[in-house]
Amino acid sequence: MDDNAVHLADQALPFWVEVTEDGDDDSMGILGGGNPELRMVPLGPLRKNLAATVDALQQVFADVAARGGTLPLAEAQLSFQVTASGGVQLIGTGQVQGTRGLTLTFKRS
């Protein structure tokens, strides 16, 4: 592990997360079913989980782009939320209306 990765493993960022009545603070961000609390999310797991998610999505997008056709994929936007332990969970906007989350935009240059 390089020095930068070791340094990131010790750092954290503040995120609002949803804490349910049973004390579970690792559910999806603020969806309205629990109590929002500001928690320090460790950067090491967040970095690892976000990188794995982006890697998987890039493969999916490459497969879709390879299909070609008259309507090629030129841009994709995805929303995600971060859990208190640094997990990354994608949000299906068709299933969850009005959620708050971070958006990743992948655009072909």
Side-chain angles (χ1 to χ4, degrees):
M1 195 180 305
D2 64 16
D3 289 338
N4 190 33
V6 171
H7 183 64
L8 284 176
D10 295 333
Q11 294 180 339
L13 287 174
F15 274 90
W16 286 99
V17 297
E18 179 181 276
V19 179
T20 60
E21 288 184 21
D22 63 1
D24 177 18
D25 65 356
D26 207 28
S27 59
M28 290 176 70
I30 301 174
L31 293 178
N35 301 313
E37 288 187 18
L38 189 62
R39 298 288 175 97
M40 295 305 290
V41 174
L43 284 184
L46 177 59
R47 180 176 184 231
K48 177 184 171 199
N49 292 327
L50 188 55
T53 300
V54 170
D55 289 346
L57 289 170
Q58 286 179 334
Q59 182 59 52
V60 170
F61 296 151
D63 294 346
V64 171
R67 296 182 66 141
T70 58
L71 296 172
L73 177 65
E75 182 174 305
Q77 292 186 1
L78 297 151
S79 294
F80 71 99
Q81 293 188 359
V82 174
T83 66
S85 65
V88 173
Q89 299 174 338
L90 297 174
I91 301 170
T93 56
Q95 299 169 348
V96 182
Q97 299 288 329
T99 61
R100 297 172 195 97
L102 303 170
T103 301
L104 297 175
T105 301
F106 298 88
K107 189 171 185 176
R108 188 178 314 171
S109 51

